[in-house]
Every structure is written in structure tokens, then in C-alpha cells.
Amino acid sequence: MIRLILVSSVLVVFFIISIPVMVFLLLLRFINKGLASDIAQFIISEVVKLILAATGSSIYVSGTQNIPKEGTVLFVSNHRSYFDIAMAYAYTHKRLGFIAKAELGNIPLLREWMFLLRCRFLDRTDMKKSVKTILAGIKNIKTGTSVWICPEGTRVRGETEFDMDEFKEGAFKIAEKGGCPIVPVAIKGTADIFEKHIPFVHPSSVIMEYGEPIYIDELDKEVQKKLGNYTRAKIAGMLSTMENRDFII
């Protein structure tokens, strides 16, 4: 209960005191859109680190050397928890935007911050809107913003960390048309913080590993047609070997 209060307090205090900052950044976008988003990402990255610390969890990150230093990237991860997004913004040191489910765009304050963070909302019930979101993601890639997707479409509630739904192929067009590599990301332990025992928050041992980049033009033509399956297999392999390797904070 104490950890739930700590995490809730951080979120409530942040959303209250951040309103004037958010308004300033929204106005700054009219002058310098990139600067406004970069400042917003820095603020959010520090806030989510504080939230993760409040959970009492141990955080281990591996494979950062696999993230290309130059150019943009399509990050692709498994998805079991809201804390996956926190991990991404806390430890991915690139200009970053998410492809998020449309429902998140209905939450006041969160919606504005996600807008500042270059997030795009995907409505899977409307094909035209979905296509527009993918095109916006491609534009992000081409204009210097890496994109993070969770192509299972929603949080997976399987029995084990290794359970994953099928990856939707459509979002991989962002890498194909944007001409960027795909970096698979395996995340383990985030669901143990909250989702497995809602509404309580428990400390967990969280591991996030960045895999070797996938360069689409180096793959066989048949593999290129099923990038979702190919990337899913890479992440599954990373998850299966996590227990046998050492990780550092």
C-alpha cells in the first residue's frame, strides 16, 4: 500500500505542478517545435525514473550498444505493463515517439503530454485513421524522431513472461517506408510491479534488453513480407535466455 501511495503521489503532484510547464511548452511549439518536444521528453524521462524508483524495483538494462548512434530507429517490444512505456522513456536515449492506442488520447493532461512527446494515436477500429497514424509514424522517422511500437496491440495477460500475442504487421511499414533499422526490445518483470496484483504496487526485478538491429534490406524477400513474425521470434529468443545472463543497471 505504501508503494501505491508513493507512486500515486508522484503522478498527482507531477500532473498538478506541470500544468504551467505544459502550457509553456505547447506555446513554445509555435516557435520551435523540436525544442519543445525535446524538453518534454527530458522532463518525462526524469519523472518516470522517479516513479520506477518509488516502486522499489531493481532495473537492469542491457544491449544499449545495439542502438545505432546515427539516424532514427523503429523500436519494437513485447508489452505486458504500463511500466513498459516508462522503461522506454527512462532508458532510451534517442528522440522518441510512441504509437499508442487511441483510448489514451481521451485522457486530459496525459493527452497533451503525449502530444508534446510526438506520440501518435492508433485507432484499430478505423482503417483510414490507422493508415494516417502509420504515415505520421513514417514522417517521424524521416524527420529525426525514432518510433516505439508494441505490435501486439494491447497488454498481454498471459501466465508467463514468455507469452506474446501475434505481432500486427501493419506498423512495420514505418521501418520499411521510413528506411530505418528495427531494434527488437525484450522487457521482463514490469507486470510484476502492478498488473499482476492490481491495485497494489510491488517491487520487481525488471530487465530490458535491446537486441541487435534488423536491417530490412539485408533480409530475404520472404522474410521481409513477415517482419512481425521475424521480430517476434527475435524477442522471444531474447526473453528465453534472460535467466542465464548477467545484466547491469
Side-chain angles (χ1 to χ4, degrees):
M1 180 62 74
I2 293 175
R3 296 197 185 279
L4 174 62
I5 294 171
L6 283 173
V7 171
S8 301
S9 298
V10 172
L11 284 170
V12 170
V13 170
F14 168 71
F15 278 119
I16 292 174
I17 68 174
S18 70
I19 291 174
V21 178
M22 181 187 69
V23 172
F24 168 75
L25 292 176
L26 289 170
L27 293 173
L28 180 60
R29 288 187 85 255
F30 292 104
I31 302 171
N32 191 325
K33 186 184 297 185
L35 178 61
S37 292
D38 288 344
I39 294 172
Q41 183 169 329
F42 173 76
I43 292 171
I44 293 300
S45 69
E46 295 304 308
V47 170
V48 295
K49 285 177 185 176
L50 183 59
I51 291 171
L52 288 165
T55 70
S57 297
S58 301
I59 308 297
Y60 303 90
V61 179
S62 177
T64 53
Q65 74 278 3
N66 289 323
I67 302 174
K69 290 182 172 58
E70 302 297 327
T72 51
V73 172
L74 179 67
F75 293 96
V76 179
S77 76
N78 58 315
H79 188 31
R80 292 180 60 84
S81 170
Y82 289 119
F83 283 95
D84 298 335
I85 300 171
M87 289 291 295
Y89 274 112
Y91 298 105
T92 304
H93 304 299
K94 267 189 174 295
R95 181 178 285 183
L96 185 65
F98 254 84
I99 300 294
K101 61 181 181 180
E103 291 80 358
L104 294 178
N106 298 324
I107 303 174
L109 296 182
L110 177 62
R111 173 184 58 224
E112 283 73 26
W113 276 106
M114 293 183 73
F115 174 69
L116 285 166
L117 291 170
R118 311 176 183 91
C119 293
R120 308 291 183 172
F121 297 104
L122 182 63
D123 185 351
R124 296 188 184 277
T125 65
D126 188 317
M127 183 59 69
K128 288 185 178 179
K129 289 182 179 179
S130 294
V131 171
K132 286 182 179 180
T133 300
I134 299 302
L135 292 174
I138 295 169
K139 183 179 179 181
N140 273 9
I141 290 291
K142 290 185 173 181
T143 55
T145 298
S146 294
V147 175
W148 191 298
I149 62 171
C150 301
E152 292 162 290
T154 188
R155 288 174 293 126
V156 176
R157 297 171 175 82
E159 290 293 325
T160 74
E161 297 282 355
F162 311 109
D163 291 325
M164 286 190 290
D165 288 345
E166 293 300 314
F167 281 15
K168 310 292 191 300
E169 296 285 343
F172 287 85
K173 293 293 182 185
I174 294 172
E176 289 184 77
K177 302 299 184 183
C180 71
I182 298 167
V183 171
V185 187
I187 305 175
K188 180 178 180 292
T190 47
D192 291 326
I193 299 175
F194 182 64
E195 279 78 4
K196 285 189 176 180
H197 29 69
I198 294 172
F200 300 107
V201 172
H202 289 186
S204 175
S205 179
V206 178
I207 302 172
M208 183 166 72
E209 181 180 10
Y210 301 92
E212 294 182 359
I214 300 167
Y215 295 93
I216 297 173
D217 57 1
E218 296 178 0
L219 301 175
D220 293 338
K221 294 297 182 183
E222 289 303 311
V223 176
Q224 291 182 23
K225 294 177 182 178
K226 295 292 183 180
L227 284 172
N229 286 343
Y230 183 78
T231 308
R232 183 181 183 276
K234 290 286 187 182
I235 294 172
M238 292 159 64
L239 287 169
S240 69
T241 60
M242 277 182 172
E243 298 290 345
N244 303 318
R245 286 176 289 127
D246 294 327
F247 293 87
I248 60 173
I249 296 178

